[in-house]
Amino acid sequence: MTRQSISFTKPNDEWLKSQVDSNEYASKSELVNDLIRQARNQQAQINWIKAKLETAENNGFTNESKEEILAQSKSLLNG
Protein backbone atom coordinates (compact mmCIF):
# COMPACT_ATOMS: atom_id res chain seq x y z
CA MET A 1 0.00 0.00 0.00
CA THR A 2 1.34 3.42 -0.87
CA ARG A 3 1.48 6.29 1.58
CA GLN A 4 0.12 9.70 0.66
CA SER A 5 0.04 12.99 2.48
CA ILE A 6 -3.16 14.94 1.96
CA SER A 7 -4.65 18.05 3.53
CA PHE A 8 -8.28 18.50 4.56
CA THR A 9 -10.34 21.59 5.19
CA LYS A 10 -11.29 22.02 8.83
CA PRO A 11 -14.94 20.91 8.34
CA ASN A 12 -13.85 17.82 6.41
CA ASP A 13 -11.22 16.93 9.00
CA GLU A 14 -13.76 17.34 11.80
CA TRP A 15 -16.20 15.08 9.95
CA LEU A 16 -13.50 12.45 9.41
CA LYS A 17 -12.58 12.58 13.10
CA SER A 18 -16.23 12.22 14.11
CA GLN A 19 -16.59 9.10 11.97
CA VAL A 20 -13.50 7.54 13.53
CA ASP A 21 -14.53 8.64 17.05
CA SER A 22 -17.94 7.02 16.60
CA ASN A 23 -16.18 3.73 15.75
CA GLU A 24 -17.60 3.69 12.23
CA TYR A 25 -14.02 3.35 10.98
CA ALA A 26 -10.75 2.45 12.64
CA SER A 27 -8.83 5.30 11.01
CA LYS A 28 -9.13 8.24 8.63
CA SER A 29 -7.24 6.19 6.04
CA GLU A 30 -9.82 3.41 6.20
CA LEU A 31 -12.62 5.95 5.77
CA VAL A 32 -10.96 7.74 2.85
CA ASN A 33 -10.32 4.39 1.12
CA ASP A 34 -13.98 3.45 1.61
CA LEU A 35 -15.12 6.78 0.15
CA ILE A 36 -12.87 6.25 -2.86
CA ARG A 37 -14.27 2.71 -3.36
CA GLN A 38 -17.80 4.13 -3.25
CA ALA A 39 -16.90 6.82 -5.78
CA ARG A 40 -15.34 4.21 -8.07
CA ASN A 41 -18.48 2.06 -7.86
CA GLN A 42 -20.66 5.06 -8.65
CA GLN A 43 -18.48 5.91 -11.63
CA ALA A 44 -18.76 2.33 -12.90
CA GLN A 45 -22.55 2.60 -12.69
CA ILE A 46 -22.54 5.95 -14.46
CA ASN A 47 -20.34 4.53 -17.22
CA TRP A 48 -22.68 1.56 -17.63
CA ILE A 49 -25.74 3.81 -17.86
CA LYS A 50 -23.97 6.07 -20.39
CA ALA A 51 -23.10 3.05 -22.53
CA LYS A 52 -26.71 1.86 -22.43
CA LEU A 53 -27.96 5.32 -23.40
CA GLU A 54 -25.46 5.59 -26.26
CA THR A 55 -26.49 2.17 -27.55
CA ALA A 56 -30.15 3.12 -27.34
CA GLU A 57 -29.50 6.44 -29.08
CA ASN A 58 -27.49 4.77 -31.85
CA ASN A 59 -30.05 2.01 -32.39
CA GLY A 60 -33.12 4.07 -31.72
CA PHE A 61 -34.35 1.64 -29.06
CA THR A 62 -33.42 -1.14 -26.66
CA ASN A 63 -35.00 -4.55 -26.17
CA GLU A 64 -34.65 -4.28 -22.39
CA SER A 65 -37.53 -2.98 -20.30
CA LYS A 66 -37.20 -0.05 -17.92
CA GLU A 67 -37.43 -2.52 -15.06
CA GLU A 68 -34.57 -4.64 -16.45
CA ILE A 69 -32.31 -1.64 -16.94
CA LEU A 70 -33.12 -0.35 -13.45
CA ALA A 71 -32.47 -3.78 -11.90
CA GLN A 72 -29.11 -4.06 -13.67
CA SER A 73 -28.20 -0.54 -12.59
CA LYS A 74 -29.06 -1.29 -8.95
CA SER A 75 -27.09 -4.52 -9.14
CA LEU A 76 -23.99 -2.63 -10.28
CA LEU A 77 -24.43 -0.06 -7.53
CA ASN A 78 -24.75 -2.71 -4.84
CA GLY A 79 -21.72 -4.61 -6.11
Side-chain angles (χ1 to χ4, degrees):
M1 194 175 302
T2 62
R3 285 188 154 298
Q4 299 289 321
S5 176
I6 59 174
S7 300
F8 298 109
T9 62
K10 186 173 181 172
N12 286 344
D13 188 52
E14 289 173 359
W15 182 81
L16 289 168
K17 285 179 186 175
S18 74
Q19 297 301 301
V20 173
D21 290 346
S22 68
N23 295 319
E24 290 293 321
Y25 294 91
S27 68
K28 289 182 190 178
S29 292
E30 182 182 331
L31 174 53
V32 170
N33 275 309
D34 189 43
L35 292 171
I36 292 170
R37 272 190 296 278
Q38 290 177 35
R40 290 172 65 190
N41 286 337
Q42 285 178 334
Q43 189 60 56
Q45 183 183 24
I46 289 167
N47 292 343
W48 180 84
I49 291 169
K50 283 182 180 179
K52 286 287 189 180
L53 289 171
E54 286 176 7
T55 298
E57 288 174 357
N58 292 336
N59 294 330
F61 63 92
T62 179
N63 292 329
E64 294 176 303
S65 70
K66 292 184 293 186
E67 291 78 18
E68 290 171 323
I69 293 171
L70 181 59
Q72 289 176 353
S73 176
K74 286 181 179 180
S75 173
L76 282 173
L77 181 62
N78 296 326

